[in-house]
Structures are given as C-alpha cells and as structure tokens.
Coordinates of all heavy atoms in Angstrom, one line a residue:
M65 N 0.8 -1.2 0.0 CA 0.0 0.0 0.0 C 0.9 1.2 0.0 O 1.8 1.3 0.8 CB -0.9 0.0 1.2 CG -1.7 1.2 1.4 SD -2.7 1.2 2.9 CE -4.3 1.4 2.2
L66 N 0.6 2.2 -0.8 CA 1.3 3.4 -0.9 C 0.6 4.5 -0.1 O -0.6 4.6 -0.1 CB 1.5 3.9 -2.4 CG 2.2 2.9 -3.3 CD1 2.2 3.4 -4.7 CD2 3.6 2.6 -2.9
N67 N 1.4 5.4 0.5 CA 0.8 6.4 1.3 C 1.1 7.8 0.6 O 2.3 8.1 0.2 CB 1.5 6.5 2.7 CG 1.2 5.2 3.5 OD1 0.1 4.9 3.7 ND2 2.2 4.5 3.9
Y68 N 0.1 8.6 0.5 CA 0.2 9.9 -0.2 C -0.3 10.9 0.8 O -1.4 10.7 1.4 CB -0.5 9.9 -1.5 CG 0.2 9.2 -2.6 CD1 -0.1 7.8 -2.8 CD2 1.1 9.8 -3.4 CE1 0.6 7.1 -3.8 CE2 1.8 9.1 -4.4 CZ 1.5 7.8 -4.6 OH 2.2 7.1 -5.6
V69 N 0.4 12.0 0.9 CA -0.1 13.2 1.7 C 0.0 14.4 0.8 O 1.0 14.7 0.2 CB 0.9 13.4 2.9 CG1 0.5 14.6 3.7 CG2 0.9 12.2 3.8
S70 N -1.2 15.0 0.5 CA -1.3 16.1 -0.3 C -0.7 15.9 -1.7 O 0.0 16.7 -2.3 CB -0.7 17.4 0.3 OG -1.4 17.7 1.5
G71 N -0.9 14.7 -2.2 CA -0.3 14.3 -3.5 C 1.1 13.9 -3.6 O 1.7 13.7 -4.6
H72 N 1.8 13.9 -2.4 CA 3.2 13.5 -2.3 C 3.3 12.1 -1.6 O 2.6 11.9 -0.6 CB 4.0 14.5 -1.5 CG 4.0 15.9 -2.1 ND1 4.8 16.2 -3.2 CD2 3.2 17.0 -1.9 CE1 4.6 17.5 -3.5 NE2 3.6 17.9 -2.7
R73 N 4.1 11.3 -2.2 CA 4.3 9.9 -1.7 C 5.2 10.0 -0.4 O 6.2 10.6 -0.4 CB 5.0 9.0 -2.7 CG 5.1 7.6 -2.3 CD 5.6 6.7 -3.4 NE 6.0 5.4 -2.9 CZ 6.4 4.5 -3.7 NH1 6.5 4.7 -5.0 NH2 6.8 3.3 -3.2
A74 N 4.7 9.3 0.6 CA 5.5 9.2 1.9 C 5.7 7.8 2.2 O 4.8 7.0 2.4 CB 4.7 9.9 3.0
D75 N 7.0 7.4 2.2 CA 7.3 6.0 2.5 C 7.8 5.7 3.9 O 7.8 4.6 4.4 CB 8.4 5.5 1.5 CG 7.9 5.5 0.1 OD1 6.7 5.1 -0.1 OD2 8.6 5.9 -0.9
T76 N 8.4 6.8 4.5 CA 9.0 6.6 5.9 C 8.4 7.6 6.8 O 7.8 8.6 6.4 CB 10.5 6.8 5.8 OG1 10.7 8.2 5.4 CG2 11.2 5.9 4.8
P77 N 8.6 7.4 8.1 CA 8.2 8.4 9.1 C 8.8 9.8 8.8 O 8.2 10.8 9.0 CB 8.6 7.8 10.5 CG 8.7 6.4 10.2 CD 9.1 6.2 8.8
Q78 N 10.1 9.7 8.4 CA 10.7 11.0 8.0 C 10.0 11.7 6.9 O 9.9 12.9 6.9 CB 12.2 10.8 7.6 CG 13.1 10.3 8.8 CD 12.9 8.8 9.1 OE1 12.3 8.0 8.3 NE2 13.5 8.4 10.2
D79 N 9.5 11.0 5.9 CA 8.7 11.6 4.8 C 7.5 12.2 5.3 O 7.2 13.3 4.9 CB 8.3 10.5 3.8 CG 9.5 10.0 3.0 OD1 10.6 10.6 3.0 OD2 9.3 8.9 2.4
F80 N 6.8 11.6 6.3 CA 5.6 12.1 6.8 C 5.9 13.4 7.6 O 5.2 14.4 7.5 CB 4.9 11.1 7.7 CG 4.1 10.1 7.0 CD1 4.5 8.8 6.8 CD2 2.8 10.4 6.4 CE1 3.8 7.9 6.2 CE2 2.1 9.5 5.7 CZ 2.6 8.2 5.6
A81 N 7.0 13.4 8.4 CA 7.4 14.6 9.1 C 7.7 15.7 8.2 O 7.3 16.9 8.4 CB 8.6 14.3 10.1
E82 N 8.5 15.4 7.1 CA 8.8 16.5 6.2 C 7.6 17.1 5.5 O 7.5 18.3 5.3 CB 9.8 15.9 5.1 CG 10.3 16.9 4.2 CD 11.4 16.4 3.3 OE1 12.1 15.5 3.6 OE2 11.5 17.0 2.2
L83 N 6.7 16.2 5.2 CA 5.4 16.7 4.5 C 4.6 17.5 5.5 O 4.0 18.5 5.2 CB 4.6 15.5 3.9 CG 5.3 14.9 2.7 CD1 4.6 13.6 2.4 CD2 5.2 15.9 1.5
A84 N 4.6 17.1 6.8 CA 3.8 17.8 7.8 C 4.4 19.2 8.1 O 3.7 20.2 8.3 CB 3.8 17.0 9.1
L85 N 5.8 19.3 8.1 CA 6.5 20.5 8.4 C 6.6 21.4 7.1 O 6.7 22.6 7.3 CB 7.8 20.2 9.0 CG 7.8 19.5 10.3 CD1 9.3 19.2 10.7 CD2 7.2 20.4 11.4
G86 N 6.7 20.8 6.0 CA 7.0 21.5 4.8 C 8.5 21.7 4.6 O 8.9 22.4 3.6
T87 N 9.3 21.2 5.4 CA 10.8 21.3 5.3 C 11.4 20.0 5.8 O 10.8 19.3 6.6 CB 11.4 22.5 6.2 OG1 11.1 22.2 7.6 CG2 10.8 23.8 5.8
P88 N 12.6 19.7 5.3 CA 13.2 18.5 5.9 C 13.7 18.7 7.3 O 14.1 19.8 7.7 CB 14.4 18.3 4.9 CG 14.7 19.6 4.3 CD 13.4 20.3 4.3
A89 N 13.6 17.7 8.1 CA 14.1 17.7 9.5 C 15.5 18.1 9.6 O 15.9 18.8 10.6 CB 13.8 16.4 10.2
E90 N 16.4 17.7 8.7 CA 17.8 18.0 8.7 C 18.1 19.5 8.7 O 19.1 20.0 9.2 CB 18.5 17.4 7.5 CG 18.6 15.9 7.6 CD 17.3 15.2 7.0 OE1 16.4 15.9 6.5 OE2 17.2 14.0 7.3
L91 N 17.1 20.3 8.1 CA 17.3 21.7 8.1 C 17.3 22.3 9.6 O 18.1 23.2 9.9 CB 16.2 22.4 7.3 CG 16.2 23.9 7.3 CD1 17.4 24.4 6.6 CD2 14.9 24.5 6.7
W92 N 16.5 21.7 10.4 CA 16.5 22.2 11.8 C 17.4 21.4 12.7 O 17.9 22.0 13.7 CB 15.0 22.0 12.3 CG 14.1 22.6 11.3 CD1 13.3 21.9 10.4 CD2 13.8 24.0 11.1 NE1 12.6 22.8 9.7 CE2 12.9 24.1 10.1 CE3 14.3 25.2 11.7 CZ2 12.4 25.3 9.6 CZ3 13.9 26.4 11.2 CH2 12.9 26.5 10.2
L93 N 17.7 20.2 12.4 CA 18.5 19.3 13.3 C 20.0 19.2 12.9 O 20.8 18.9 13.7 CB 17.9 17.9 13.4 CG 16.5 17.8 13.9 CD1 16.0 16.4 13.8 CD2 16.3 18.4 15.3
G94 N 20.3 19.5 11.7 CA 21.6 19.4 11.2 C 21.9 17.9 10.8 O 21.1 17.0 11.0
V95 N 23.1 17.7 10.4 CA 23.6 16.3 10.0 C 24.9 16.1 10.6 O 25.7 17.0 10.9 CB 23.6 16.1 8.5 CG1 22.2 16.2 7.9 CG2 24.5 17.1 7.8
D96 N 25.2 14.8 10.9 CA 26.5 14.5 11.5 C 27.6 14.9 10.5 O 27.5 14.7 9.3 CB 26.6 13.0 11.7 CG 25.8 12.6 12.9 OD1 25.4 13.4 13.8 OD2 25.4 11.4 13.0
G97 N 28.7 15.5 11.0 CA 29.9 15.8 10.2 C 29.8 17.1 9.4 O 30.6 17.3 8.6
E98 N 28.7 17.9 9.6 CA 28.6 19.1 8.8 C 29.7 20.1 9.2 O 30.1 20.2 10.4 CB 27.3 19.7 8.9 CG 26.9 20.4 10.2 CD 25.5 21.0 10.2 OE1 24.8 20.9 9.1 OE2 25.1 21.4 11.2
S99 N 30.2 20.8 8.3 CA 31.3 21.8 8.6 C 30.7 23.0 9.1 O 29.5 23.2 9.1 CB 32.1 22.1 7.3 OG 31.2 22.8 6.4
D100 N 31.5 23.9 9.7 CA 31.0 25.2 10.2 C 30.4 26.0 9.1 O 29.3 26.6 9.4 CB 32.2 26.0 10.8 CG 32.7 25.4 12.1 OD1 32.0 24.5 12.7 OD2 33.9 25.7 12.5
E101 N 30.9 25.9 7.9 CA 30.3 26.7 6.8 C 28.9 26.1 6.4 O 28.0 26.8 6.2 CB 31.3 26.6 5.6 CG 30.8 27.4 4.4 CD 31.8 27.4 3.3 OE1 32.8 28.1 3.4 OE2 31.6 26.6 2.4
E102 N 28.8 24.8 6.4 CA 27.5 24.1 6.1 C 26.5 24.5 7.2 O 25.3 24.7 6.9 CB 27.7 22.6 6.0 CG 28.5 22.2 4.7 CD 28.9 20.7 4.8 OE1 29.2 20.2 5.9 OE2 29.0 20.1 3.7
R103 N 27.0 24.4 8.4 CA 26.1 24.8 9.5 C 25.6 26.2 9.4 O 24.4 26.5 9.6 CB 26.8 24.5 10.9 CG 25.9 24.8 12.1 CD 26.6 24.5 13.4 NE 25.7 24.5 14.5 CZ 25.4 25.7 15.2 NH1 26.0 26.8 14.9 NH2 24.6 25.6 16.2
A104 N 26.5 27.1 9.2 CA 26.1 28.5 9.0 C 25.1 28.7 7.9 O 24.1 29.4 8.0 CB 27.3 29.4 8.8
A105 N 25.3 28.0 6.7 CA 24.4 28.1 5.6 C 23.0 27.5 6.0 O 22.0 28.1 5.6 CB 25.0 27.4 4.4
R106 N 23.0 26.4 6.7 CA 21.8 25.7 7.1 C 21.0 26.6 8.0 O 19.8 26.8 7.8 CB 22.1 24.4 7.8 CG 20.9 23.7 8.3 CD 21.2 22.3 8.9 NE 22.2 22.4 10.0 CZ 21.9 22.8 11.2 NH1 20.7 23.1 11.5 NH2 22.8 22.8 12.1
L107 N 21.6 27.2 9.0 CA 20.9 28.1 9.9 C 20.5 29.4 9.3 O 19.4 29.9 9.6 CB 21.9 28.4 11.1 CG 22.2 27.3 12.0 CD1 23.2 27.7 13.1 CD2 21.0 26.7 12.7
D108 N 21.2 29.9 8.3 CA 20.8 31.1 7.5 C 19.5 30.7 6.7 O 18.6 31.5 6.7 CB 21.9 31.5 6.6 CG 21.6 32.8 6.0 OD1 21.1 33.8 6.7 OD2 21.9 33.0 4.8
A109 N 19.5 29.6 6.1 CA 18.3 29.1 5.4 C 17.1 29.0 6.3 O 16.0 29.4 6.0 CB 18.6 27.8 4.6
A110 N 17.3 28.4 7.5 CA 16.2 28.2 8.5 C 15.7 29.6 8.9 O 14.5 29.8 9.1 CB 16.7 27.5 9.7
R111 N 16.6 30.6 9.2 CA 16.1 31.9 9.5 C 15.3 32.5 8.4 O 14.3 33.2 8.7 CB 17.3 32.8 9.9 CG 17.8 32.7 11.3 CD 18.9 33.7 11.6 NE 20.1 33.5 10.9 CZ 21.1 32.7 11.4 NH1 20.9 32.0 12.4 NH2 22.2 32.5 10.7
D112 N 15.7 32.3 7.2 CA 14.9 32.9 6.0 C 13.5 32.2 6.0 O 12.5 32.9 5.7 CB 15.7 32.6 4.7 CG 16.9 33.5 4.5 OD1 17.0 34.5 5.3 OD2 17.7 33.2 3.6
I113 N 13.5 30.9 6.2 CA 12.2 30.3 6.2 C 11.3 30.8 7.3 O 10.1 31.1 7.1 CB 12.3 28.7 6.3 CG1 12.9 28.2 5.0 CG2 11.0 28.0 6.7 CD1 13.3 26.8 5.1
L114 N 11.8 31.0 8.5 CA 11.0 31.5 9.6 C 10.5 32.9 9.4 O 9.5 33.3 9.9 CB 11.8 31.4 10.9 CG 12.0 29.9 11.5 CD1 12.9 29.9 12.7 CD2 10.7 29.3 11.8
A115 N 11.3 33.7 8.6 CA 10.9 35.0 8.3 C 9.8 35.1 7.3 O 9.2 36.1 7.1 CB 12.1 35.8 7.9
D116 N 9.6 34.1 6.5 CA 8.6 34.0 5.4 C 7.2 33.9 6.0 O 7.0 33.1 6.8 CB 8.9 32.8 4.5 CG 8.0 32.8 3.3 OD1 6.9 33.3 3.3 OD2 8.5 32.3 2.3
P117 N 6.3 34.9 5.6 CA 5.0 34.8 6.2 C 4.3 33.5 6.0 O 3.4 33.1 6.7 CB 4.3 35.9 5.5 CG 5.3 36.8 5.0 CD 6.5 36.0 4.7
E118 N 4.6 32.8 4.9 CA 4.0 31.5 4.6 C 4.2 30.5 5.7 O 3.4 29.6 6.0 CB 4.5 30.9 3.3 CG 3.9 29.6 2.9 CD 4.5 29.1 1.6 OE1 5.1 29.8 0.8 OE2 4.3 27.9 1.4
Y119 N 5.4 30.6 6.4 CA 5.7 29.7 7.5 C 5.5 30.2 8.9 O 6.1 29.7 9.8 CB 7.2 29.3 7.3 CG 7.4 28.4 6.1 CD1 7.8 28.9 4.9 CD2 7.2 27.0 6.2 CE1 8.0 28.0 3.8 CE2 7.3 26.2 5.1 CZ 7.7 26.7 3.9 OH 7.9 25.9 2.9
R120 N 4.7 31.2 9.0 CA 4.5 31.8 10.4 C 3.9 30.8 11.4 O 4.1 31.0 12.6 CB 3.7 33.1 10.3 CG 2.2 32.9 9.9 CD 1.5 34.2 10.0 NE 0.2 34.0 9.3 CZ -0.1 34.3 8.1 NH1 0.8 34.9 7.3 NH2 -1.3 34.1 7.6
D121 N 3.2 29.8 10.9 CA 2.6 28.8 11.8 C 3.6 27.6 12.0 O 3.2 26.7 12.7 CB 1.3 28.3 11.2 CG 0.3 29.4 11.2 OD1 0.3 30.3 12.0 OD2 -0.6 29.4 10.3
L122 N 4.8 27.7 11.5 CA 5.7 26.5 11.6 C 6.0 26.2 13.1 O 6.0 25.0 13.4 CB 7.0 26.8 10.8 CG 7.9 25.6 10.7 CD1 7.3 24.4 10.1 CD2 9.2 26.0 10.0
P123 N 6.3 27.2 13.9 CA 6.6 26.8 15.3 C 5.5 26.0 16.0 O 5.7 25.0 16.7 CB 6.9 28.1 16.0 CG 7.4 29.0 14.9 CD 6.6 28.6 13.7
D124 N 4.2 26.4 15.7 CA 3.1 25.7 16.2 C 3.0 24.3 15.6 O 2.7 23.3 16.4 CB 1.8 26.5 15.9 CG 1.7 27.8 16.7 OD1 2.3 27.9 17.8 OD2 1.0 28.7 16.2
A125 N 3.3 24.2 14.4 CA 3.3 22.8 13.7 C 4.3 21.9 14.3 O 4.1 20.7 14.6 CB 3.5 23.0 12.2
L126 N 5.5 22.5 14.6 CA 6.6 21.7 15.3 C 6.1 21.2 16.7 O 6.4 20.1 17.0 CB 7.8 22.5 15.4 CG 8.6 22.8 14.1 CD1 9.7 23.8 14.3 CD2 9.2 21.5 13.5
I127 N 5.5 22.1 17.4 CA 5.0 21.7 18.7 C 4.0 20.6 18.7 O 4.0 19.7 19.4 CB 4.5 23.0 19.5 CG1 5.7 23.9 19.8 CG2 3.8 22.6 20.8 CD1 5.3 25.3 20.3
R128 N 3.1 20.8 17.7 CA 2.0 19.7 17.6 C 2.7 18.4 17.2 O 2.3 17.3 17.7 CB 1.0 20.2 16.5 CG 0.0 21.1 17.0 CD -1.2 21.3 16.1 NE -0.8 21.7 14.8 CZ -0.6 23.0 14.4 NH1 -0.7 24.0 15.3 NH2 -0.2 23.3 13.2
L129 N 3.6 18.4 16.3 CA 4.3 17.2 15.8 C 5.1 16.6 17.0 O 5.0 15.4 17.2 CB 5.3 17.5 14.7 CG 6.0 16.3 14.1 CD1 5.0 15.3 13.5 CD2 7.0 16.8 13.0
A130 N 5.8 17.4 17.7 CA 6.5 16.8 18.9 C 5.5 16.2 19.9 O 5.8 15.1 20.5 CB 7.3 17.9 19.6
A131 N 4.4 16.9 20.2 CA 3.4 16.4 21.1 C 2.9 15.0 20.6 O 2.6 14.1 21.4 CB 2.3 17.4 21.3
Q132 N 2.6 15.0 19.3 CA 2.1 13.7 18.7 C 3.1 12.6 18.8 O 2.7 11.5 19.2 CB 1.8 13.9 17.2 CG 1.0 12.8 16.6 CD -0.3 12.6 17.2 OE1 -1.1 13.5 17.4 NE2 -0.6 11.3 17.5
V133 N 4.4 12.9 18.7 CA 5.4 11.8 18.8 C 5.4 11.3 20.2 O 5.5 10.1 20.5 CB 6.8 12.4 18.4 CG1 7.9 11.4 18.8 CG2 6.8 12.6 16.9
V134 N 5.4 12.3 21.2 CA 5.4 11.9 22.6 C 4.2 11.0 22.9 O 4.3 10.0 23.6 CB 5.4 13.1 23.5 CG1 5.2 12.8 25.0 CG2 6.8 13.8 23.4
D135 N 3.0 11.4 22.4 CA 1.8 10.6 22.6 C 1.8 9.3 21.9 O 1.4 8.3 22.5 CB 0.6 11.4 22.1 CG -0.7 10.9 22.5 OD1 -0.8 10.5 23.7 OD2 -1.7 10.8 21.7
D136 N 2.4 9.2 20.7 CA 2.4 7.9 20.0 C 3.5 7.0 20.5 O 3.3 5.8 20.4 CB 2.6 8.2 18.5 CG 1.4 8.8 17.8 OD1 0.3 8.9 18.5 OD2 1.6 9.3 16.7
Y137 N 4.6 7.5 21.0 CA 5.7 6.7 21.4 C 6.2 7.1 22.8 O 7.3 7.5 23.0 CB 6.9 6.9 20.4 CG 6.5 6.5 19.0 CD1 6.2 7.5 18.1 CD2 6.5 5.2 18.6 CE1 5.9 7.2 16.8 CE2 6.2 4.9 17.3 CZ 5.8 5.9 16.4 OH 5.5 5.6 15.1
P138 N 5.4 6.8 23.8 CA 5.8 7.2 25.2 C 7.0 6.5 25.7 O 7.8 7.1 26.5 CB 4.6 6.8 26.0 CG 3.8 5.8 25.2 CD 4.1 6.1 23.8
D139 N 7.3 5.3 25.2 CA 8.5 4.6 25.6 C 9.8 5.2 25.1 O 10.9 4.9 25.6 CB 8.4 3.1 25.2 CG 7.3 2.3 25.9 OD1 6.9 2.8 27.0 OD2 6.9 1.3 25.4
L140 N 9.7 6.0 24.1 CA 10.8 6.7 23.5 C 11.5 7.5 24.5 O 12.7 7.7 24.5 CB 10.4 7.5 22.3 CG 11.5 8.2 21.5 CD1 12.3 7.2 20.8 CD2 10.8 9.1 20.4
F141 N 10.8 8.0 25.5 CA 11.3 9.0 26.5 C 11.5 8.3 27.9 O 11.6 9.1 28.8 CB 10.4 10.2 26.5 CG 10.4 10.9 25.2 CD1 9.4 10.7 24.3 CD2 11.4 11.8 24.9 CE1 9.3 11.4 23.1 CE2 11.4 12.4 23.6 CZ 10.4 12.2 22.8
N142 N 11.5 7.0 27.9 CA 11.8 6.4 29.2 C 13.2 6.7 29.7 O 14.1 6.6 28.9 CB 11.6 4.9 29.2 CG 10.2 4.5 29.2 OD1 9.3 5.2 29.5 ND2 9.9 3.2 28.9
V143 N 13.3 7.2 30.9 CA 14.6 7.6 31.4 C 15.0 6.6 32.5 O 14.2 6.4 33.4 CB 14.6 9.0 31.9 CG1 15.9 9.4 32.6 CG2 14.2 10.0 30.8
V144 N 16.2 6.1 32.4 CA 16.7 5.2 33.4 C 17.9 5.8 34.1 O 18.8 6.2 33.4 CB 17.1 3.8 32.8 CG1 17.6 2.9 33.8 CG2 15.9 3.2 32.1
L145 N 17.8 5.9 35.4 CA 18.9 6.5 36.1 C 20.0 5.5 36.2 O 19.8 4.3 36.5 CB 18.5 6.9 37.5 CG 17.5 8.1 37.6 CD1 17.1 8.3 39.1 CD2 18.2 9.3 37.0
L146 N 21.2 5.9 35.9 CA 22.4 5.0 35.9 C 23.1 5.3 37.2 O 23.2 6.4 37.7 CB 23.3 5.2 34.7 CG 22.7 5.0 33.4 CD1 23.7 5.4 32.3 CD2 22.2 3.6 33.2
A147 N 23.7 4.2 37.7 CA 24.5 4.4 39.0 C 25.7 5.2 38.7 O 26.4 5.0 37.6 CB 24.9 3.0 39.5
R148 N 26.0 6.2 39.5 CA 27.1 7.1 39.3 C 28.3 6.3 39.8 O 28.4 5.8 40.9 CB 26.9 8.3 40.1 CG 28.0 9.3 39.9 CD 27.7 10.6 40.6 NE 26.8 11.4 39.8 CZ 26.5 12.6 40.1 NH1 26.9 13.2 41.2 NH2 25.7 13.3 39.3
P149 N 29.4 6.3 39.0 CA 30.6 5.6 39.4 C 31.2 6.2 40.6 O 31.1 7.5 40.8 CB 31.5 5.6 38.2 CG 31.0 6.7 37.3 CD 29.5 6.9 37.7
A150 N 31.8 5.4 41.5 CA 32.4 6.0 42.7 C 33.6 6.9 42.3 O 34.3 6.6 41.3 CB 32.9 4.8 43.6
R151 N 33.7 8.0 43.0 CA 34.8 8.9 42.7 C 36.1 8.4 43.2 O 36.2 7.9 44.3 CB 34.5 10.3 43.3 CG 33.4 11.0 42.6 CD 33.1 12.3 43.1 NE 34.3 13.2 42.8 CZ 34.4 14.4 43.1 NH1 33.4 15.0 43.8 NH2 35.5 15.1 42.8
R152 N 37.1 8.4 42.4 CA 38.4 7.9 42.8 C 39.2 9.1 43.4 O 39.2 10.2 42.8 CB 39.2 7.3 41.7 CG 38.5 6.0 41.3 CD 39.3 5.3 40.2 NE 40.4 5.9 39.7 CZ 41.2 5.4 38.8 NH1 41.0 4.2 38.3 NH2 42.3 6.0 38.3
R153 N 39.8 8.9 44.5 CA 40.6 10.0 45.1 C 41.9 9.9 44.4 O 42.6 8.9 44.3 CB 40.8 9.8 46.6 CG 39.5 9.9 47.3 CD 39.7 9.7 48.8 NE 39.0 10.9 49.4 CZ 39.3 11.3 50.6 NH1 40.2 10.8 51.3 NH2 38.6 12.3 51.1
T154 N 42.4 11.1 44.0 CA 43.7 11.2 43.5 C 44.7 11.7 44.5 O 44.3 12.6 45.3 CB 43.7 12.1 42.2 OG1 43.2 13.4 42.6 CG2 42.9 11.6 41.1
V155 N 45.8 11.1 44.6 CA 46.8 11.5 45.5 C 47.9 12.3 44.8 O 48.5 11.8 43.8 CB 47.4 10.3 46.2 CG1 48.5 10.7 47.2 CG2 46.3 9.5 46.9
R156 N 48.1 13.5 45.2 CA 49.2 14.3 44.6 C 50.5 13.9 45.3 O 50.6 14.0 46.5 CB 48.9 15.8 44.7 CG 47.7 16.2 43.9 CD 47.7 17.7 44.0 NE 46.4 18.2 43.5 CZ 46.1 19.5 43.5 NH1 46.9 20.3 44.0 NH2 45.0 19.8 43.1
R157 N 51.4 13.6 44.5 CA 52.8 13.3 45.0 C 53.6 14.6 44.9 O 53.6 15.3 43.9 CB 53.4 12.2 44.3 CG 52.6 10.9 44.5 CD 53.3 9.8 43.7 NE 52.4 8.6 43.9 CZ 52.7 7.5 44.4 NH1 53.9 7.4 44.9 NH2 51.9 6.5 44.5
G158 N 54.3 14.8 46.0 CA 55.2 16.0 46.0 C 54.5 17.3 46.3 O 55.1 18.3 46.2
A159 N 53.2 17.3 46.6 CA 52.5 18.5 46.9 C 52.8 18.9 48.3 O 52.8 18.1 49.2 CB 51.0 18.3 46.7
A160 N 53.0 20.2 48.5 CA 53.3 20.7 49.9 C 52.0 20.7 50.7 O 50.9 21.0 50.2 CB 53.9 22.1 49.9
A161 N 52.0 20.4 52.0 CA 50.8 20.3 52.8 C 50.6 21.6 53.5 O 51.4 22.4 53.8 CB 50.9 19.2 53.8

C-alpha cells in the first residue's frame, strides 16, 4: 500500500514529518559531520524560512508534531537512572601540605 499526503508519496516516518512541516528535519537538526560553513548556511536558510509569512505557523506545527510523537511513542522517552561511578581519590605526590 502506498501512502500519499497532499499528492506526495510518503514511504517513511521521516517523509511524513517532512510533509507535515514543509521542510526536511535535517534543516532544523543538522547532520553528522557538517562543517562550520555548512552549519552557518543551514541556519541562515532556516532563519529565512522562519521570516517568510507562509511559514509563520511553523513553530506551532513543530510543537504539535513533537506532542504527537510523545503521545504515539511514550516509551521513546523512558529515562533510566544509571549508577554514578564511585569517585576515585587522586593523591598528589610531592605537593606541599
């Protein structure tokens, strides 16, 4: 079965998120290994999009999408406290008392 949203094919959850937001998630989240120049260009593009009146509702759409993810996948945010390792005392040799 093929999934279409507003005439666009969506095959993955990322496709649905991109269609819901109107922009790729990488624009807002970045990608691993991006250079400082790439990051600056990405953030500049994001600022331009947020300044466009067509996208004035984008922050609200992002909040709704995040809330939907939390509602649909509550286990995604399970937090497990880890035991803190015992602090090791360091002994300084030759330090004056």
Side-chain angles (χ1 to χ4, degrees):
M65 173 181 237
L66 299 177
N67 296 301
Y68 286 89
V69 176
S70 299
H72 299 279
R73 185 172 167 180
D75 295 322
T76 66
Q78 292 81 9
D79 291 343
F80 282 103
E82 184 173 333
L83 289 168
L85 296 174
T87 62
E90 291 82 11
L91 177 66
W92 309 104
L93 303 175
V95 294
D96 289 337
E98 72 182 354
S99 68
D100 290 341
E101 186 176 279
E102 291 168 327
R103 182 177 189 272
R106 177 179 56 77
L107 294 176
D108 190 42
R111 278 189 288 278
D112 287 346
I113 288 172
L114 290 174
D116 187 330
E118 180 181 344
Y119 288 95
R120 69 176 167 262
D121 296 329
L122 186 60
D124 292 334
L126 287 169
I127 291 168
R128 281 193 303 275
L129 181 61
Q132 187 65 47
V133 168
V134 170
D135 192 44
D136 290 348
Y137 303 98
D139 293 339
L140 185 64
F141 298 97
N142 281 349
V143 176
V144 177
L145 294 176
L146 300 176
R148 182 175 279 189
R151 292 183 66 177
R152 293 184 355 177
R153 295 184 130 200
T154 56
V155 177
R156 291 189 194 176
R157 294 180 187 241

